[in-house]
Each structure stands twice: as structure tokens, then as C-alpha cells.
Amino acid sequence: MIDPVILCFLMFGVACALLMAGFPVAFTLAGTALGFALVGSALDVFSLSLLTAFPQSIFGTMVNETLVAVPLFVFMGVMLERSRIAEELLDNMGRMFGTLPGGLAFSVCIVGALLAASTGIVGATVVTMGLMSLPTMIKRGYDKRLACGTIAASGTLGQIIPPSIVLVLLGDQLSVAYQNAQFSMGIFSPDTVSVNDLFAGALFPGFMLVGLYILYQIGYVLVHPKGAPAIPEEELGDLAGFAFFRQIFHALAAPILLIVAVLGSILIGLASPTEAAGVGAIGATMLAGYRRDESRGWPIILGVLCMAGLLALTYSFDLRSQRSVVSVTEWAAIGAAMVLTVGLAFGVIVSLVRTFTWRDRDGARVLAAVCQSTMSISAMVFTIIIGARMFSIVFIGLGGADYVEHVLENLPGGTLAAILLVMAIMFVMGFFLDFLEIVFIVVPIVAPILLQMEMPDGSSMSPVWLGIMMAMNLQTSFLTPPFGFALFYLRGVAPPEIRTMDIYRGIVPFVIIQIFGLVLLWYLPQVATWLPLALYGR
């Protein structure tokens, strides 16, 4: 009789080979798992009755309120990309920092961070910055590798700076893994870890990465000043007049307001990630409607003010009317909320009409294009989730999880060696697989095992710290050749004089920076754990 563990390794290898060959992710995972389930059943090492858990797993995915945030965040990001907010940010930031050596590179990093905190869509960010900044940087005499690496790395910041789809999906997986780990340890009143915790934990590490990128660029400028020259002031126009600062405010106000509304409401506990994603989707729609016709922007401004008022009332009062005792003040607040809701609805309706009638550069209606893109991306994500569930069921049924647990628990070096091995495997897998496959294949298997282990000082492992370490590691999967998606996006919009090797060589320093960031996070876990502890006490 064949050892079922051998079937586990064969299943994993076949799935990876098929993915690298270009087969669709979701169908590869589910099809490979089903094939090996049938083989295992024929060899009498797998019970097909285990597959009865698959329909329930699909139902659990579809009713998971946390995952509702995924299409809402995707909608927000695509709508903001269509409203050309990135173009305005890049143009004005380039003028602001362009007179400094390396100023255009600094601008790309700052804009990448702002777009990450307001959209989180890697493809849209890389393509937009590649179309707008790369030709300018090359024309100004920037080193091709520095320019390509800066744009590709800055575009991936949306995977670590919240709100991030990766953190939503990773938080959902870690929540289940953390509860399973505690049940295995005999703790039947388990603590929880949520997407809110990961959002709070990722904030400082994300901006730490931005700082490391800029420090590298400063060092590059000092060593190779000709590789990142400054732009003469006379070519940038008036940098001190009121009109320039008005342009800067116009470019920055919208993303900052959206960041405060979405991320702020999550961090202070006013809204769940799903609710905040809804606020972000509506806010992005109103912003696009305002950009469509700023001369008649008062309905949108009214709607934004009403939304802000509703958030303030929700934070200050209990607006539930179906209670036995409601004070006069609370009734007044409820009445005010109803009036503000009417104003918000008016602003949203005007925005929807404007975005529906607005045609982009390709002649497509903006609202229709955004809805189509949201549907296709969301369908892809959820189909991968479903396929990965089948893969996990078969992998566990063949005893793969028990074998992995045995290996990790018996490594020389204990917990630290286990974490290092898992991080190394995820890093190597990032060369060949997308972050979605890694999140839904690796994390459910290894996270419950790691979270049962003790750290060398005897303390339990922080699920937030582990999650942020994994998220930062997964970010490199967008940059590492041959299948880094950020590299493909940039290659698709790069000028003809940019060779593929220029892009590959340009991202090497930034991948090293991210590994250095992981090392810093290893020795300074407080960077990830301090804010969740301060906000939520965990």
C-alpha cells in the first residue's frame, strides 16, 4: 500500500506544475484534489465521504460577512483608478519633489503609499504609474533599473498597507486557524483575531517599508547622482504661488479624506471592515461623480458632508430606534440621521448618474466598466477560495496536515526554526505562485500548527505578528520573477527602450529591502503588535 503522504506531495507538485503551465488556478486546485481523492480512494487511503464537507465549506464561504469586503474594496479601487486620482497625484508630487535629486523616485513612493491606503489594487497602481512616470523618469536621465524597481515596488504597497484585499483574506484564514489552534490546546473559550487587528498591525510595517524604499533611493542618489538627476525649477513652473498649493490640496484632499473615512472608522472600532468597505465604495463613487463635473459639485459635497455627519452621529449616539427606552436626545439624533441619509442618497444618485453617462478613454461607460471589472475580479477570488477548500480537504484527508505538524514540531531549533522554514517556503513559492494560492493552500495548513507553539521566551505566538510577517512575505510574490504580477503589469506598459532584464534587475534591491523589513519585524515584533494592543487590548 502506498503511503498517503507521498500522494500529498505528488498532489502538491502536480498542482504547482499545472499552475506554472498556465492552467486556471481555481480549476487546477479543485481538479487536482478531486483526481488524487479518487486515486486515494482506489488505493484505500482516502475516504470519499470526507468530500461531503465540501458543499458546507462553499456555503460557509458565501455567508462569511468578512469576505463581503472583498468586492467592495475592489469596487472602490477600480472606481478611484477610473477617476484619474493617481494621475493628478503623480503630476503634482512630481512638481513638488522634482527639483530634488531623486525627487521623481520619492514622488512615486509617496504616491504609491497614498494609493495603497485608498485603493489597494496593485495592477491599476503599477499600470498608472508605469504609463505616467516611467517615460518621464527615462526622459529625465534616470537609471532604467532604479525607475523600474521603484514603480514596481511602490505599486505592491497596496498588499501590505491597509485596507488591503490580502489582509482581508489572510485575516479570515488566520481567524479560523487561531481558533482551531486554541481548541487543539484545550482552550474552549478562545480569543479571536480579526481583520481589524491585521489592519492595525500592518499600518506601521507598511509605512516602514515606504521609509526603507526612500532611504535606499537617497543612498542611491548619493552614490550615483547622475542616475537620478533633479529637474530644473524653470521647467516645473511656479512652485510657491497660491495656485500651486491649491493644486496640491485638490490632489491630496480626496485620497486623505477617503483614507480617514475608511481606515479610521475601522481602527477606532466604528465600523467593521465590511461596513467600512461599503463607505469606501460609496465615497469613491461620489469622488468620481465630483471629478466628472466639478463646476456643479455641490450635490456631491452635500453627500460627503452628510456621510461625515452620519459617521459622527453613529460614533456619538445609539441610533437604534427599536429599544424600550430612547431618550429625547437620541430621538433627535435619529431624526438628524434620517435627514442626513436623504442628503447622502441624493449625492449618491447624482454620482451614479454622472459615472453612468461618463465615458472613459476607451469609450466605455465608467460605471459599467467598474462593475464589470469588480465582478470579474471578485468571481476570480471566490472561485479560487472554493477550489482551495477542495484542495485543503483532500490534503488533510490524506494525512498531509499531520505530517506537516510532525515535521514542524520536531525541527532542530523549535519554534524559530519552524517559522523560518515556513517563511522560506512561502518566499520560494512566491516565485511561481500568486498570493491567493499561497494564502489558501499554505496558511490553513501551517498557521494552526505555528500558533500552538511557544516562543523562546515562553510566551504564546501573536497571531497578528505572524499574519503581518506572512503578508509582507506574500508581497514579494508580486516582485519575484518569473511570475511576479507587478513585473508583468510594468512590462506591458513600459516604453520600447525598457528591456525585461532592466525590470528584473531593478526589483532586486527592493526584494532585498523587503527581506530586510522581515528581519526587522522578526527582531522588533512591537512594530506590528503595538497598535492593535493599544487600540483593542490584544
Side-chain angles (χ1 to χ4, degrees), residues 5 19 95 113 143 147 199 205 210 261 278 286 495:
V5 173
L19 288 172
R95 292 183 64 201
D143 183 90
F199 276 14
V210 178
M286 289 196 291

Side-chain angles (χ1 to χ4, degrees), residues 71-102:
L72 291 172
F73 278 133
V74 172
F75 182 95
M76 180 181 75
V78 177
M79 182 64 81
L80 285 174
E81 186 256 332
R82 295 279 177 170
S83 66
R84 301 172 186 169
I85 186 173
E87 296 180 17
E88 189 176 7
L89 277 171
L90 280 168
D91 181 56
N92 286 284
M93 285 294 174
R95 292 183 64 201
M96 180 181 290
F97 293 101
T99 55
L100 299 173

Side-chain angles (χ1 to χ4, degrees), residues 413-489:
T415 302
L416 296 183
I419 297 173
L420 283 174
L421 177 62
V422 169
M423 289 296 161
I425 291 173
M426 291 177 70
F427 179 76
V428 173
M429 289 179 70
F431 282 81
F432 309 103
L433 302 179
D434 185 23
F435 75 95
L436 286 170
E437 295 99 274
I438 301 174
V439 166
F440 293 114
I441 294 175
V442 178
V443 175
I445 296 170
V446 301
I449 302 167
L450 294 177
L451 291 171
Q452 293 180 56
M453 297 181 172
E454 288 187 350
M455 300 299 283
D457 60 1
S459 62
S460 58
M461 187 180 300
S462 167
V464 173
W465 174 76
L466 179 63
I468 303 307
M469 289 282 289
M470 287 181 169
M472 194 178 291
N473 199 344
L474 287 171
Q475 186 187 350
T476 61
S477 68
F478 279 87
L479 290 176
T480 46
F483 298 111
F485 279 84
L487 311 182
F488 286 149
Y489 295 138

